[in-house]
Amino acid sequence: MEREKALELVEPHLTEHRYKHTLGVMHTAIALAKKYGVDQKKAEIAAIFHDYAKFRDKNEMRDLVKEKLHWPSLLHYGDELLHAPCGAYYVKSEVGICDQEILDAIAYHTTGKPEMTDLEKVVFLADYIEPGRQFKGVDEVRKIAETDLDEAIIQSLENTITFLMKRRQLIFPDTLATYNDFILKRK
Ligand code: DGI
Ligand code: FE
Ligand code: FE
Ligand code: FE
């Protein structure tokens, strides 16, 4: 799918702010893909659609996770997690994208997962460091991302897990499993 067509399809689902974020993720994902030898076209499409379900009805997404995605544990760690796997489902059923690598990059962009592919890593990291992001620690991750994809993701996971802990929020076990997997494989 051409970039213009993809952007046209995603824009009505997003706010202006979220659309700008999406453009930032798209440009960052393409740059990271180029640097780390990942398919740039897949990175572009996954990035454009990564937040497709960000503003979907939460009850609709909870039902989808229970009944179609068969992933009930996901329901107990906060509504923010729903839009990633549900987004992958809607992008397939509504937009007609069937490339499983792209769908997985969308599905795991919030939590990551053990054994991430390079495409999944690129979308995950681009979401964290795109130029519109301003939170504490993001510049350090941007710097690491210039030379070490895995180390940048470890740092972003540390930041996110620490952020959640400071707010006494639940941590999704798969987010921790992602962190553990990267630490185990660290060179
Ligand atoms: O959709 P975006 O805002 O662009 O970014 P995202 O998809 O990475 O979502 C970030 C949100 O997800 C942020 O509010 C923190 C939350 N989050 C990430 N990992 C976990 C988590 N929330 C819980 N409860 N547990 C996690 O492990
Ligand atoms: Fe997201
Ligand atoms: Fe993220
Ligand atoms: Fe995002």
Side-chain angles (χ1 to χ4, degrees), residues 50-51 83 109-110 127:
H50 85 283
D51 275 339
H83 77 282
H109 85 266
T110 303
D127 184 37

Side-chain angles (χ1 to χ4, degrees), residues 18 21-22 25 50-51 54 83 109 127-128 133:
R18 188 58 42 176
H21 161 72
T22 293
V25 177
H50 85 283
D51 275 339
K54 190 77 179 175
H83 77 282
H109 85 266
D127 184 37
Y128 195 82
R133 297 291 209 192

Side-chain angles (χ1 to χ4, degrees), residues 61 63-72 74 82 84-89:
M61 288 199 285
D63 288 345
L64 180 64
V65 163
K66 265 185 279 191
E67 281 147 35
K68 293 245 167 66
L69 306 184
H70 307 294
W71 198 0
L74 191 75
L82 299 170
C86 292
Y89 178 89

